[in-house]
Amino acid sequence: TAGSMLEHHIETLLDVCNYKFDAQKSIEEGEVLDFIFPDIKYAKKNPAFSISVECQNTLKDRVRLTQGKLQHSSIQRHLFTASGLNAATDSDHQDLTNNKIKELKNSGVTLVIYKSVKEDKFKHEPSVISFEDFFNNVYPQASKIWKKK
């Protein structure tokens, strides 16, 4: 379905780049995670050093589902979205409101968006990062810790 396209693209890239991850796994009953890094077994033992990623093509209504997942866990939570450039819909640039960014931030979720949108609209907002930041900084820093444990 169209709703899972971003997730599919991300999974394909992760596979091609040989990233360590599990997809569609649960840590807490009833909460299926799109991606968990490096894998579900490690995340259960070492949540503070693990990363969760949810994917949403747009941030219209389903953003609260992401906010609700892993609320009582120390796992780093991220939300990947295609919103911002009208790539997912003709009006997805309207999804990135200050209120939505604030809600995510208050829930401990880092929003991951296109680099140009980050630079144009959220340059000084640390709870919003680009895909480049995630894959060039967040994942590599965490993977250094995974190798030690």
Side-chain angles (χ1 to χ4, degrees):
T1 66
S4 63
M5 286 304 289
L6 178 62
E7 186 179 330
H8 174 73
H9 290 304
I10 296 295
E11 186 168 3
T12 300
L13 291 171
L14 294 170
D15 282 336
V16 168
C17 294
N18 293 317
Y19 276 54
K20 293 181 180 187
F21 73 97
D22 276 335
Q24 298 299 310
K25 301 287 182 180
S26 295
I27 290 178
E28 297 178 12
E29 190 174 327
E31 291 184 355
V32 178
L33 306 172
D34 291 341
F35 299 104
I36 191 78
F37 300 92
D39 58 49
I40 196 72
K41 184 178 176 182
Y42 184 94
K44 286 180 178 181
K45 285 185 176 179
N46 303 287
F49 302 109
S50 302
I51 300 170
S52 166
V53 168
E54 292 297 304
C55 294
Q56 294 183 6
N57 285 347
T58 68
L59 295 186
K60 295 224 182 301
D61 299 322
R62 297 176 40 88
V63 72
R64 286 188 177 81
L65 290 174
T66 296
Q67 288 173 274
K69 291 183 181 182
L70 300 174
Q71 284 185 11
H72 306 292
S73 174
S74 58
I75 292 176
Q76 294 179 47
R77 299 184 302 150
H78 292 78
L79 171 57
F80 285 10
T81 187
S83 285
L85 295 177
N86 296 338
T89 69
D90 290 341
S91 61
D92 68 43
H93 69 283
Q94 297 173 7
D95 294 352
L96 300 173
T97 65
N98 288 331
N99 281 343
K100 214 164 266 182
I101 303 303
K102 186 178 177 180
E103 279 182 44
L104 289 167
K105 181 179 181 177
N106 290 341
S107 297
V109 177
T110 300
L111 183 63
V112 182
I113 59 176
Y114 293 116
K115 185 177 182 179
S116 62
V117 179
K118 163 66 177 170
E119 291 172 350
D120 290 347
K121 296 182 180 180
F122 303 104
K123 190 173 197 159
H124 301 292
E125 177 53 65
S127 68
V128 178
I129 65 172
S130 68
F131 286 102
E132 288 84 352
D133 287 334
F134 182 88
F135 289 108
N136 292 330
N137 299 312
V138 174
Y139 181 94
Q141 287 300 317
S143 69
K144 289 177 188 175
I145 295 168
W146 303 332
K147 291 176 186 174
K148 293 178 185 178
K149 295 214 174 261

